Amino acid sequence: MKVCQQLLSRAFSHRVKSYVVRRTTSDIPATGRWSSAQSASFCSSSAEDRKAQPSMLKHLSSKIRSTGPVSVSEYMKEVLTNPVTGYYVRKNMLGADGDFITSPEISQVFGELLGVWIVSEWMGAGRPEQLQLVELGPGRGSLAADILRVFSQLQSVVGGASVSVHLVEVSLALSRLQAETLTGKRNMEASSEDDPVYRHGETAARVSVSWYRRLEDVPAAFSIFVAHEFFDALPVHKFQRTEKGWREVLVDIEPADPDRLRFVVAPTPTLASSTLVQADERRDHVEVCAEGGVIVQQLARRIEEEGGAALIADYGHDGTGTDTLRGFKGHQLHDVLSIPGSADLTADVDFSFLRRMAGGGVACLGPVTQRMFLKNMGIDVRMQVLLRNCSDPSTRKQLISSYDMLTNPSKMGERFHFFSLLHPSRLAVPKKPQGLKLEKKSPAPLPVAGFTELGF
Ligand code: SAH
């Protein structure tokens, strides 16, 4: 694991004093999910509560009245990503100025360690000439910015590669925020709506940044894909085991109160309940994220064909979770069906499903807990150096509390997991040359950082 250690010391040795207090964590609850406020480029929550949310309820009710109850997946998709009134499209929900907080917003160290992971995987793949950093659901752009800063710190290592950034983002409003973070004013929206690259820009270091609505529009090339708290935002189907077999859970209008919605169980099988539940399923209630499955299949195919890796970080389980769909608003759990569009909806990621969907063409690693991944990546060493060089008491306090938030098992340390797809050659043990007894031992493949214990 020498490579990772060397990258860490090269990336951070001459900038130990450059830690920026990004967020204070004292007001963040242990689940680390939601808090509140808005950015100027988005509507204020109260204005939204008056306008967009009733219109979302109206829209869903009229849909249900005309075609019958909708699947939970369709409900979630409308609520989160409807192009006009969807939660992600309309609100700035992220960070200190938003509705919730995520690891990259808590500390830049998180993104820096992911940056080191990316460089070490690029090296493990034989340092290809082209390196596409592809992020799914980049939020405010903080993670990509922290990763790019590591690339520039490691210029002597990555310098030979042609680096470009590709962001898959459904929200035009969030793409503006990402552009501001990554490129300042050096970006433009596409003139035609049909352009798959709906925004393009350049960082101060002249790295090209492109925005897409869909992963399929990202050019095929060696890529490292990053998805942090992306898969949990994708819609899930819900299924319930009944005496008559598996039935899909649907969303209907409450008969006693037409302004309210309720869950119902479909009386007969739906296409989804007939096709998405595994024949040997043992749980009584399952959630299946078909859209996530399709995205993982695309990632696997790209990695198999073009080389690269994917790093998926999210809260989730390995095939044991049941009823995990929940809403969050202002740090509190929120009824999933109440005031649709006013709260985030999220479901735990089923990593066993992602592994199955990835198929046999790629190698899968994990899930490992965030605590283990960050410790294996050297977060303790990085923190010690930062603390040794920091005399300001409030920055020291912030450093310690962000470290605790990210790694404490009862906070984000064991709720969040890291999972990776890799090109199969990455883990292959090189064959020993036949018949040559005195031949030097073939080099083993570089261990995959984060998933293997580090000895510092
Ligand atoms: N990765 C960021 C943001 C997580 S929130 C962080 O950890 O801070 C989820 C992000 O995914 C938002 O940027 C949201 O707009 C985006 N998103 C949600 N559904 C999407 C979809 N179907 N396609 C593309 N982006 C999506």
Side-chain angles (χ1 to χ4, degrees):
M1 197 45 57
K2 282 234 167 59
V3 174
C4 182
Q5 285 165 272
Q6 283 165 3
L7 289 174
L8 277 170
S9 60
R10 269 212 218 180
F12 306 126
S13 57
H14 51 292
R15 54 183 302 277
V16 286
K17 288 188 183 154
S18 61
Y19 185 79
V20 178
V21 176
R22 182 173 281 162
R23 311 285 174 253
T24 58
T25 51
S26 53
D27 57 341
I28 302 165
T31 52
R33 192 81 189 177
W34 310 104
S35 90
S36 60
Q38 287 76 37
S39 142
S41 56
F42 294 83
C43 299
S44 80
S45 188
S46 54
E48 283 310 303
D49 282 351
R50 282 195 299 276
K51 280 198 292 191
Q53 290 137 22
S55 79
M56 172 62 80
L57 180 62
K58 238 162 104 183
H59 166 68
L60 285 162
S61 303
S62 70
K63 194 166 185 164
I64 294 170
R65 257 185 227 106
S66 59
T67 56
V70 295
S71 68
V72 171
S73 175
E74 202 175 340
Y75 174 77
M76 238 179 129
K77 196 177 171 86
E78 277 299 318
V79 168
L80 295 182
T81 57
N82 176 291
V84 182
T85 48
Y87 176 80
Y88 282 114
V89 174
R90 188 175 46 77
K91 278 187 98 176
N92 172 16
M93 72 300 287
L94 279 149
D97 302 332
D99 262 352
F100 68 100
I101 192 97
T102 58
S103 297
E105 300 298 330
I106 288 171
S107 169
Q108 70 186 50
V109 171
F110 184 85
E112 289 170 348
L113 295 176
L114 267 59
V116 170
W117 189 89
I118 291 168
V119 175
S120 89
E121 276 315 295
W122 169 79
M123 290 170 72
R127 306 179 184 226
E129 268 171 34
Q130 213 179 341
L131 169 55
Q132 292 195 152
L133 167 63
V134 184
E135 188 179 354
L136 309 179
R140 296 171 69 101
S142 309
L143 179 58
D146 293 336
I147 292 171
L148 285 178
R149 215 180 33 256
V150 168
F151 284 10
S152 70
Q153 296 301 131
L154 291 172
Q155 190 61 20
S156 59
V157 182
V158 199
S162 153
V163 174
S164 54
V165 177
H166 306 264
L167 304 174
V168 180
E169 174 56 71
V170 73
S171 162
L172 187 69
L174 278 179
S175 81
R176 284 193 197 111
L177 212 57
Q178 293 151 15
E180 217 171 282
T181 308
L182 294 166
T183 70
K185 295 207 182 319
R186 291 174 301 274
N187 73 90
M188 273 176 77
E189 264 174 47
S191 49
S192 155
E193 280 207 355
D194 300 332
D195 197 333
V197 179
Y198 68 83
R199 179 185 298 282
H200 182 263
E202 206 176 71
T203 67
R206 313 215 125 208
V207 175
S208 151
V209 189
S210 310
W211 278 261
Y212 312 80
R213 287 173 198 89
R214 305 165 326 149
L215 173 61
E216 46 267 50
D217 293 328
V218 175
F222 178 93
S223 303
I224 306 279
F225 301 91
V226 177
H228 184 262
E229 286 218 41
F230 169 75
F231 280 90
D232 73 277
L234 299 179
V236 292
H237 287 274
K238 282 173 87 68
F239 304 106
Q240 180 68 42
R241 190 194 291 278
T242 73
E243 282 171 2
K244 294 187 216 138
W246 284 100
R247 292 290 184 268
E248 183 161 11
V249 177
L250 305 173
V251 175
D252 197 3
I253 299 168
E254 173 70 64
D257 182 354
D259 285 338
R260 290 181 66 85
L261 300 170
R262 62 168 184 165
F263 287 118
V264 293
V265 176
T268 52
T270 58
L271 179 63
S273 67
S274 317
T275 55
L276 292 178
V277 185
Q278 291 283 102
D280 59 354
E281 182 56 65
R282 302 177 79 163
R283 289 167 285 179
D284 288 333
H285 187 102
V286 285
E287 294 167 341
V288 180
C289 180
E291 203 175 306
V294 170
I295 291 175
V296 161
Q297 282 174 338
Q298 290 175 4
L299 294 177
R301 206 196 54 240
R302 279 168 176 264
I303 291 169
E304 204 182 343
E305 289 171 5
E306 309 289 336
L311 189 61
I312 296 170
D314 228 308
Y315 40 61
H317 57 84
D318 210 3
T320 52
T322 55
D323 184 8
T324 74
L325 174 65
R326 57 211 181 277
F328 277 98
K329 188 176 180 181
H331 285 295
Q332 303 294 324
L333 278 168
H334 180 86
D335 181 345
V336 169
L337 298 180
S338 163
I339 325 177
S342 71
D344 176 52
L345 301 180
T346 169
D348 282 3
V349 173
D350 181 347
F351 291 105
S352 71
F353 174 70
L354 298 191
R355 194 184 297 114
R356 203 161 62 238
M357 290 297 112
V362 288
C364 296
L365 281 185
V368 299
T369 62
Q370 170 159 307
R371 174 182 172 82
M372 185 180 286
F373 182 88
L374 295 179
K375 281 186 169 268
N376 287 344
M377 287 302 304
I379 192 170
D380 290 348
V381 179
R382 174 77 177 121
M383 282 293 171
Q384 277 161 17
V385 174
L386 284 167
L387 284 170
R388 212 179 298 134
N389 287 278
C390 171
S391 51
D392 173 49
S394 92
T395 309
R396 286 181 70 86
K397 202 170 151 220
Q398 205 281 331
L399 271 169
I400 292 164
S401 78
S402 64
Y403 170 84
D404 182 57
M405 190 71 181
L406 294 179
T407 59
N408 188 324
S410 64
K411 296 182 177 171
M412 292 167 124
E414 287 191 356
R415 282 179 54 79
F416 283 79
H417 292 82
F418 278 74
F419 179 75
S420 177
L421 309 181
L422 300 161
H423 192 273
S425 66
R426 182 65 184 82
L427 298 182
V429 178
K431 284 199 187 91
K432 270 194 183 160
Q434 296 285 308
L436 289 172
K437 284 205 173 130
L438 294 175
E439 194 68 29
K440 268 209 286 185
K441 239 173 98 184
S442 313
L446 288 174
V448 179
F451 294 88
T452 320
E453 207 173 315
L454 256 194
F456 275 100

mmCIF file of all heavy atoms in Angstrom, residues 33 80-81 88-89 93-94 100 102-105 135-140 143 168-171 174 178 212-213 227-230 233-235 291 295, ligand 1:
data_model
loop_
_atom_site.group_PDB
_atom_site.id
_atom_site.type_symbol
_atom_site.label_atom_id
_atom_site.label_comp_id
_atom_site.label_asym_id
_atom_site.label_seq_id
_atom_site.Cartn_x
_atom_site.Cartn_y
_atom_site.Cartn_z
ATOM 1 N N ARG A 33 -28.031 14.054 7.987
ATOM 2 C CA ARG A 33 -28.747 14.285 6.745
ATOM 3 C C ARG A 33 -29.187 15.744 6.551
ATOM 4 O O ARG A 33 -28.507 16.491 5.917
ATOM 5 C CB ARG A 33 -29.919 13.313 6.636
ATOM 6 C CG ARG A 33 -30.566 13.279 5.263
ATOM 7 C CD ARG A 33 -29.839 12.424 4.259
ATOM 8 N NE ARG A 33 -30.414 12.644 2.943
ATOM 9 C CZ ARG A 33 -29.987 12.105 1.842
ATOM 10 N NH1 ARG A 33 -28.988 11.287 1.843
ATOM 11 N NH2 ARG A 33 -30.543 12.378 0.691
ATOM 12 N N LEU A 80 -39.121 13.936 -6.828
ATOM 13 C CA LEU A 80 -37.724 14.385 -6.764
ATOM 14 C C LEU A 80 -37.242 15.068 -8.037
ATOM 15 O O LEU A 80 -36.505 16.050 -7.962
ATOM 16 C CB LEU A 80 -36.800 13.200 -6.446
ATOM 17 C CG LEU A 80 -36.970 12.545 -5.076
ATOM 18 C CD1 LEU A 80 -35.954 11.428 -4.896
ATOM 19 C CD2 LEU A 80 -36.819 13.570 -3.944
ATOM 20 N N THR A 81 -37.657 14.544 -9.202
ATOM 21 C CA THR A 81 -37.007 15.068 -10.422
ATOM 22 C C THR A 81 -37.980 15.543 -11.502
ATOM 23 O O THR A 81 -37.574 15.708 -12.650
ATOM 24 C CB THR A 81 -36.043 14.013 -11.029
ATOM 25 O OG1 THR A 81 -36.769 12.817 -11.307
ATOM 26 C CG2 THR A 81 -34.886 13.690 -10.102
ATOM 27 N N TYR A 88 -35.338 18.080 -6.294
ATOM 28 C CA TYR A 88 -33.937 18.359 -6.649
ATOM 29 C C TYR A 88 -33.805 19.494 -7.652
ATOM 30 O O TYR A 88 -32.830 20.233 -7.659
ATOM 31 C CB TYR A 88 -33.271 17.101 -7.225
ATOM 32 C CG TYR A 88 -32.880 16.129 -6.153
ATOM 33 C CD1 TYR A 88 -33.482 14.882 -6.061
ATOM 34 C CD2 TYR A 88 -31.927 16.462 -5.213
ATOM 35 C CE1 TYR A 88 -33.138 14.000 -5.063
ATOM 36 C CE2 TYR A 88 -31.582 15.593 -4.198
ATOM 37 C CZ TYR A 88 -32.186 14.364 -4.130
ATOM 38 O OH TYR A 88 -31.851 13.507 -3.135
ATOM 39 N N VAL A 89 -34.817 19.606 -8.526
ATOM 40 C CA VAL A 89 -34.749 20.586 -9.601
ATOM 41 C C VAL A 89 -34.983 21.992 -9.064
ATOM 42 O O VAL A 89 -34.463 22.978 -9.567
ATOM 43 C CB VAL A 89 -35.807 20.204 -10.673
ATOM 44 C CG1 VAL A 89 -35.901 21.242 -11.761
ATOM 45 C CG2 VAL A 89 -35.483 18.829 -11.254
ATOM 46 N N MET A 93 -30.785 22.047 -1.655
ATOM 47 C CA MET A 93 -31.012 21.334 -0.403
ATOM 48 C C MET A 93 -29.719 20.995 0.327
ATOM 49 O O MET A 93 -29.725 20.373 1.361
ATOM 50 C CB MET A 93 -31.821 20.057 -0.687
ATOM 51 C CG MET A 93 -31.077 18.935 -1.410
ATOM 52 S SD MET A 93 -30.427 19.366 -3.027
ATOM 53 C CE MET A 93 -31.922 19.435 -3.983
ATOM 54 N N LEU A 94 -28.588 21.414 -0.245
ATOM 55 C CA LEU A 94 -27.312 20.899 0.240
ATOM 56 C C LEU A 94 -26.495 21.857 1.091
ATOM 57 O O LEU A 94 -26.496 23.056 0.850
ATOM 58 C CB LEU A 94 -26.448 20.516 -0.959
ATOM 59 C CG LEU A 94 -26.781 19.151 -1.543
ATOM 60 C CD1 LEU A 94 -26.520 19.155 -3.014
ATOM 61 C CD2 LEU A 94 -25.953 18.095 -0.858
ATOM 62 N N PHE A 100 -29.718 19.906 3.689
ATOM 63 C CA PHE A 100 -29.031 18.772 4.327
ATOM 64 C C PHE A 100 -27.533 18.833 4.100
ATOM 65 O O PHE A 100 -27.043 19.602 3.283
ATOM 66 C CB PHE A 100 -29.600 17.435 3.837
ATOM 67 C CG PHE A 100 -29.326 17.092 2.379
ATOM 68 C CD1 PHE A 100 -28.308 16.208 2.059
ATOM 69 C CD2 PHE A 100 -30.106 17.596 1.360
ATOM 70 C CE1 PHE A 100 -28.063 15.840 0.737
ATOM 71 C CE2 PHE A 100 -29.871 17.230 0.031
ATOM 72 C CZ PHE A 100 -28.854 16.353 -0.282
ATOM 73 N N THR A 102 -23.822 16.624 3.634
ATOM 74 C CA THR A 102 -23.238 15.339 3.222
ATOM 75 C C THR A 102 -21.738 15.372 3.550
ATOM 76 O O THR A 102 -21.179 16.443 3.788
ATOM 77 C CB THR A 102 -23.415 15.128 1.712
ATOM 78 O OG1 THR A 102 -22.805 16.218 1.032
ATOM 79 C CG2 THR A 102 -24.882 15.043 1.329
ATOM 80 N N SER A 103 -21.103 14.222 3.495
ATOM 81 C CA SER A 103 -19.684 14.149 3.885
ATOM 82 C C SER A 103 -18.790 15.165 3.153
ATOM 83 O O SER A 103 -17.967 15.820 3.793
ATOM 84 C CB SER A 103 -19.145 12.735 3.679
ATOM 85 O OG SER A 103 -19.826 11.852 4.520
ATOM 86 N N PRO A 104 -18.915 15.321 1.812
ATOM 87 C CA PRO A 104 -18.020 16.285 1.159
ATOM 88 C C PRO A 104 -18.240 17.705 1.662
ATOM 89 O O PRO A 104 -17.340 18.550 1.603
ATOM 90 C CB PRO A 104 -18.399 16.208 -0.327
ATOM 91 C CG PRO A 104 -19.232 14.992 -0.491
ATOM 92 C CD PRO A 104 -19.802 14.642 0.840
ATOM 93 N N GLU A 105 -19.457 17.990 2.166
ATOM 94 C CA GLU A 105 -19.750 19.329 2.682
ATOM 95 C C GLU A 105 -19.256 19.491 4.113
ATOM 96 O O GLU A 105 -19.102 20.602 4.599
ATOM 97 C CB GLU A 105 -21.262 19.602 2.629
ATOM 98 C CG GLU A 105 -21.868 19.531 1.235
ATOM 99 C CD GLU A 105 -21.277 20.558 0.297
ATOM 100 O OE1 GLU A 105 -20.866 21.633 0.763
ATOM 101 O OE2 GLU A 105 -21.204 20.266 -0.919
ATOM 102 N N GLU A 135 -18.702 12.412 -12.366
ATOM 103 C CA GLU A 135 -19.435 12.363 -11.095
ATOM 104 C C GLU A 135 -20.935 12.340 -11.360
ATOM 105 O O GLU A 135 -21.464 13.143 -12.132
ATOM 106 C CB GLU A 135 -19.070 13.550 -10.185
ATOM 107 C CG GLU A 135 -19.709 13.327 -8.805
ATOM 108 C CD GLU A 135 -19.431 14.395 -7.764
ATOM 109 O OE1 GLU A 135 -18.639 15.320 -8.014
ATOM 110 O OE2 GLU A 135 -20.037 14.289 -6.676
ATOM 111 N N LEU A 136 -21.619 11.414 -10.695
ATOM 112 C CA LEU A 136 -23.080 11.332 -10.794
ATOM 113 C C LEU A 136 -23.677 12.086 -9.615
ATOM 114 O O LEU A 136 -23.314 11.838 -8.469
ATOM 115 C CB LEU A 136 -23.538 9.867 -10.751
ATOM 116 C CG LEU A 136 -22.861 8.899 -11.718
ATOM 117 C CD1 LEU A 136 -23.407 7.483 -11.532
ATOM 118 C CD2 LEU A 136 -23.067 9.328 -13.157
ATOM 119 N N GLY A 137 -24.566 13.039 -9.894
ATOM 120 C CA GLY A 137 -25.215 13.804 -8.819
ATOM 121 C C GLY A 137 -24.243 14.600 -7.990
ATOM 122 O O GLY A 137 -24.041 14.339 -6.803
ATOM 123 N N PRO A 138 -23.586 15.613 -8.585
ATOM 124 C CA PRO A 138 -22.486 16.307 -7.872
ATOM 125 C C PRO A 138 -22.911 17.335 -6.831
ATOM 126 O O PRO A 138 -22.031 17.977 -6.240
ATOM 127 C CB PRO A 138 -21.712 17.002 -9.007
ATOM 128 C CG PRO A 138 -22.459 16.763 -10.273
ATOM 129 C CD PRO A 138 -23.745 16.063 -9.982
ATOM 130 N N GLY A 139 -24.197 17.521 -6.585
ATOM 131 C CA GLY A 139 -24.607 18.430 -5.507
ATOM 132 C C GLY A 139 -24.129 19.849 -5.724
ATOM 133 O O GLY A 139 -24.479 20.507 -6.682
ATOM 134 N N ARG A 140 -23.289 20.347 -4.822
ATOM 135 C CA ARG A 140 -22.758 21.722 -4.953
ATOM 136 C C ARG A 140 -21.449 21.766 -5.723
ATOM 137 O O ARG A 140 -20.889 22.833 -5.926
ATOM 138 C CB ARG A 140 -22.492 22.317 -3.566
ATOM 139 C CG ARG A 140 -23.717 22.506 -2.723
ATOM 140 C CD ARG A 140 -23.320 22.874 -1.313
ATOM 141 N NE ARG A 140 -22.730 24.197 -1.240
ATOM 142 C CZ ARG A 140 -23.382 25.281 -0.827
ATOM 143 N NH1 ARG A 140 -24.625 25.175 -0.423
ATOM 144 N NH2 ARG A 140 -22.791 26.438 -0.793
ATOM 145 N N LEU A 143 -17.226 18.097 -3.891
ATOM 146 C CA LEU A 143 -16.403 16.886 -3.978
ATOM 147 C C LEU A 143 -15.486 16.958 -5.199
ATOM 148 O O LEU A 143 -14.273 16.717 -5.100
ATOM 149 C CB LEU A 143 -17.320 15.647 -4.046
ATOM 150 C CG LEU A 143 -16.643 14.294 -4.169
ATOM 151 C CD1 LEU A 143 -15.694 14.042 -3.016
ATOM 152 C CD2 LEU A 143 -17.695 13.178 -4.218
ATOM 153 N N VAL A 168 -22.938 14.428 -14.294
ATOM 154 C CA VAL A 168 -24.294 14.013 -14.666
ATOM 155 C C VAL A 168 -25.228 14.584 -13.603
ATOM 156 O O VAL A 168 -25.184 14.171 -12.440
ATOM 157 C CB VAL A 168 -24.399 12.471 -14.729
ATOM 158 C CG1 VAL A 168 -25.818 12.051 -15.111
ATOM 159 C CG2 VAL A 168 -23.383 11.909 -15.714
ATOM 160 N N GLU A 169 -26.031 15.568 -14.006
ATOM 161 C CA GLU A 169 -26.847 16.303 -13.038
ATOM 162 C C GLU A 169 -28.208 16.599 -13.657
ATOM 163 O O GLU A 169 -28.290 17.180 -14.731
ATOM 164 C CB GLU A 169 -26.146 17.606 -12.636
ATOM 165 C CG GLU A 169 -26.962 18.521 -11.746
ATOM 166 C CD GLU A 169 -27.435 17.829 -10.479
ATOM 167 O OE1 GLU A 169 -26.609 17.561 -9.598
ATOM 168 O OE2 GLU A 169 -28.659 17.535 -10.369
ATOM 169 N N VAL A 170 -29.265 16.223 -12.946
ATOM 170 C CA VAL A 170 -30.613 16.413 -13.466
ATOM 171 C C VAL A 170 -31.112 17.840 -13.223
ATOM 172 O O VAL A 170 -32.004 18.322 -13.908
ATOM 173 C CB VAL A 170 -31.563 15.362 -12.828
ATOM 174 C CG1 VAL A 170 -31.859 15.694 -11.384
ATOM 175 C CG2 VAL A 170 -32.823 15.166 -13.619
ATOM 176 N N SER A 171 -30.525 18.517 -12.251
ATOM 177 C CA SER A 171 -31.030 19.839 -11.862
ATOM 178 C C SER A 171 -30.212 20.967 -12.491
ATOM 179 O O SER A 171 -29.027 21.128 -12.209
ATOM 180 C CB SER A 171 -30.981 19.970 -10.329
ATOM 181 O OG SER A 171 -31.065 21.314 -9.940
ATOM 182 N N LEU A 174 -28.913 23.289 -9.770
ATOM 183 C CA LEU A 174 -27.706 22.804 -9.088
ATOM 184 C C LEU A 174 -26.496 22.869 -10.008
ATOM 185 O O LEU A 174 -25.380 23.120 -9.568
ATOM 186 C CB LEU A 174 -27.905 21.374 -8.571
ATOM 187 C CG LEU A 174 -28.639 21.220 -7.240
ATOM 188 C CD1 LEU A 174 -28.782 19.752 -6.861
ATOM 189 C CD2 LEU A 174 -27.906 21.955 -6.126
ATOM 190 N N GLN A 178 -22.778 24.231 -9.214
ATOM 191 C CA GLN A 178 -21.559 23.434 -9.467
ATOM 192 C C GLN A 178 -20.601 24.217 -10.358
ATOM 193 O O GLN A 178 -19.383 24.237 -10.132
ATOM 194 C CB GLN A 178 -21.940 22.111 -10.152
ATOM 195 C CG GLN A 178 -22.736 21.177 -9.256
ATOM 196 C CD GLN A 178 -23.684 20.262 -10.018
ATOM 197 O OE1 GLN A 178 -23.569 20.112 -11.233
ATOM 198 N NE2 GLN A 178 -24.615 19.647 -9.303
ATOM 199 N N TYR A 212 -24.149 16.862 -18.205
ATOM 200 C CA TYR A 212 -25.078 16.017 -18.969
ATOM 201 C C TYR A 212 -26.280 15.694 -18.093
ATOM 202 O O TYR A 212 -26.170 15.630 -16.877
ATOM 203 C CB TYR A 212 -24.419 14.676 -19.343
ATOM 204 C CG TYR A 212 -23.046 14.803 -19.937
ATOM 205 C CD1 TYR A 212 -21.937 15.010 -19.107
ATOM 206 C CD2 TYR A 212 -22.834 14.702 -21.310
ATOM 207 C CE1 TYR A 212 -20.668 15.131 -19.638
ATOM 208 C CE2 TYR A 212 -21.558 14.816 -21.845
ATOM 209 C CZ TYR A 212 -20.485 15.035 -21.004
ATOM 210 O OH TYR A 212 -19.225 15.151 -21.529
ATOM 211 N N ARG A 213 -27.412 15.428 -18.768
ATOM 212 C CA ARG A 213 -28.590 14.974 -17.999
ATOM 213 C C ARG A 213 -28.500 13.484 -17.732
ATOM 214 O O ARG A 213 -29.036 12.988 -16.771
ATOM 215 C CB ARG A 213 -29.874 15.274 -18.778
ATOM 216 C CG ARG A 213 -30.216 16.741 -18.798
ATOM 217 C CD ARG A 213 -31.388 17.061 -19.703
ATOM 218 N NE ARG A 213 -31.380 18.488 -20.004
ATOM 219 C CZ ARG A 213 -30.737 19.029 -21.028
ATOM 220 N NH1 ARG A 213 -30.097 18.270 -21.893
ATOM 221 N NH2 ARG A 213 -30.729 20.338 -21.209
ATOM 222 N N ALA A 227 -19.933 8.344 -7.309
ATOM 223 C CA ALA A 227 -21.351 8.614 -7.002
ATOM 224 C C ALA A 227 -21.489 8.655 -5.496
ATOM 225 O O ALA A 227 -21.446 7.623 -4.827
ATOM 226 C CB ALA A 227 -22.228 7.527 -7.596
ATOM 227 N N HIS A 228 -21.617 9.860 -4.950
ATOM 228 C CA HIS A 228 -21.768 10.001 -3.502
ATOM 229 C C HIS A 228 -23.184 10.454 -3.191
ATOM 230 O O HIS A 228 -23.627 11.498 -3.677
ATOM 231 C CB HIS A 228 -20.759 11.022 -2.944
ATOM 232 C CG HIS A 228 -20.838 11.099 -1.454
ATOM 233 N ND1 HIS A 228 -21.552 12.072 -0.791
ATOM 234 C CD2 HIS A 228 -20.349 10.274 -0.509
ATOM 235 C CE1 HIS A 228 -21.464 11.854 0.508
ATOM 236 N NE2 HIS A 228 -20.752 10.770 0.698
ATOM 237 N N GLU A 229 -23.895 9.683 -2.392
ATOM 238 C CA GLU A 229 -25.300 9.967 -2.073
ATOM 239 C C GLU A 229 -26.083 10.249 -3.354
ATOM 240 O O GLU A 229 -26.846 11.213 -3.423
ATOM 241 C CB GLU A 229 -25.413 11.142 -1.095
ATOM 242 C CG GLU A 229 -25.013 10.739 0.319
ATOM 243 C CD GLU A 229 -25.870 11.385 1.394
ATOM 244 O OE1 GLU A 229 -27.084 11.462 1.198
ATOM 245 O OE2 GLU A 229 -25.301 11.803 2.409
ATOM 246 N N PHE A 230 -25.883 9.450 -4.366
ATOM 247 C CA PHE A 230 -26.615 9.561 -5.620
ATOM 248 C C PHE A 230 -27.636 8.424 -5.730
ATOM 249 O O PHE A 230 -28.818 8.665 -5.977
ATOM 250 C CB PHE A 230 -25.635 9.517 -6.799
ATOM 251 C CG PHE A 230 -26.298 9.366 -8.138
ATOM 252 C CD1 PHE A 230 -26.947 10.434 -8.737
ATOM 253 C CD2 PHE A 230 -26.284 8.139 -8.807
ATOM 254 C CE1 PHE A 230 -27.578 10.293 -9.970
ATOM 255 C CE2 PHE A 230 -26.892 7.995 -10.052
ATOM 256 C CZ PHE A 230 -27.542 9.074 -10.626
ATOM 257 N N ALA A 233 -30.977 8.478 -3.923
ATOM 258 C CA ALA A 233 -31.980 9.445 -4.386
ATOM 259 C C ALA A 233 -32.764 8.902 -5.582
ATOM 260 O O ALA A 233 -33.696 9.552 -6.055
ATOM 261 C CB ALA A 233 -31.281 10.752 -4.776
ATOM 262 N N LEU A 234 -32.388 7.733 -6.074
ATOM 263 C CA LEU A 234 -33.083 7.177 -7.241
ATOM 264 C C LEU A 234 -34.342 6.436 -6.784
ATOM 265 O O LEU A 234 -34.374 5.855 -5.699
ATOM 266 C CB LEU A 234 -32.148 6.237 -8.011
ATOM 267 C CG LEU A 234 -30.879 6.890 -8.564
ATOM 268 C CD1 LEU A 234 -30.021 5.853 -9.286
ATOM 269 C CD2 LEU A 234 -31.208 8.044 -9.508
ATOM 270 N N PRO A 235 -35.378 6.445 -7.635
ATOM 271 C CA PRO A 235 -36.661 5.858 -7.215
ATOM 272 C C PRO A 235 -36.622 4.357 -7.005
ATOM 273 O O PRO A 235 -35.965 3.639 -7.763
ATOM 274 C CB PRO A 235 -37.595 6.201 -8.388
ATOM 275 C CG PRO A 235 -36.742 6.659 -9.497
ATOM 276 C CD PRO A 235 -35.431 7.089 -8.952
ATOM 277 N N GLU A 291 -33.862 1.721 -11.605
ATOM 278 C CA GLU A 291 -33.066 2.751 -12.294
ATOM 279 C C GLU A 291 -31.590 2.660 -11.884
ATOM 280 O O GLU A 291 -30.686 2.770 -12.720
ATOM 281 C CB GLU A 291 -33.627 4.139 -11.951
ATOM 282 C CG GLU A 291 -33.276 5.180 -12.980
ATOM 283 C CD GLU A 291 -33.929 6.525 -12.696
ATOM 284 O OE1 GLU A 291 -35.173 6.578 -12.540
ATOM 285 O OE2 GLU A 291 -33.210 7.512 -12.629
ATOM 286 N N ILE A 295 -28.241 1.905 -14.232
ATOM 287 C CA ILE A 295 -27.041 2.764 -14.209
ATOM 288 C C ILE A 295 -25.790 1.932 -13.895
ATOM 289 O O ILE A 295 -24.750 2.100 -14.526
ATOM 290 C CB ILE A 295 -27.230 3.941 -13.222
ATOM 291 C CG1 ILE A 295 -28.285 4.883 -13.807
ATOM 292 C CG2 ILE A 295 -25.922 4.673 -12.965
ATOM 293 C CD1 ILE A 295 -28.688 6.033 -12.935
HETATM 294 N N1 SAH B 1 -23.141 14.079 -4.280
HETATM 295 C C1 SAH B 1 -23.594 15.254 -3.592
HETATM 296 C C2 SAH B 1 -25.107 15.486 -3.716
HETATM 297 C C3 SAH B 1 -26.018 14.394 -3.220
HETATM 298 S S1 SAH B 1 -27.753 14.821 -3.429
HETATM 299 C C4 SAH B 1 -23.140 15.234 -2.148
HETATM 300 O O1 SAH B 1 -22.889 14.155 -1.621
HETATM 301 O O2 SAH B 1 -23.063 16.292 -1.530
HETATM 302 C C5 SAH B 1 -28.170 13.998 -4.939
HETATM 303 C C6 SAH B 1 -27.623 14.639 -6.187
HETATM 304 O O3 SAH B 1 -28.028 13.834 -7.309
HETATM 305 C C7 SAH B 1 -28.132 16.033 -6.510
HETATM 306 O O4 SAH B 1 -27.116 16.738 -7.190
HETATM 307 C C8 SAH B 1 -29.321 15.752 -7.427
HETATM 308 O O5 SAH B 1 -29.725 16.850 -8.182
HETATM 309 C C9 SAH B 1 -28.750 14.632 -8.260
HETATM 310 N N2 SAH B 1 -29.732 13.736 -8.862
HETATM 311 C C10 SAH B 1 -30.784 13.157 -8.264
HETATM 312 N N3 SAH B 1 -31.427 12.323 -9.125
HETATM 313 C C11 SAH B 1 -30.734 12.379 -10.285
HETATM 314 C C12 SAH B 1 -30.882 11.746 -11.556
HETATM 315 N N4 SAH B 1 -31.886 10.907 -11.789
HETATM 316 N N5 SAH B 1 -29.985 12.030 -12.535
HETATM 317 C C13 SAH B 1 -28.944 12.881 -12.289
HETATM 318 N N6 SAH B 1 -28.766 13.524 -11.113
HETATM 319 C C14 SAH B 1 -29.644 13.277 -10.123
#
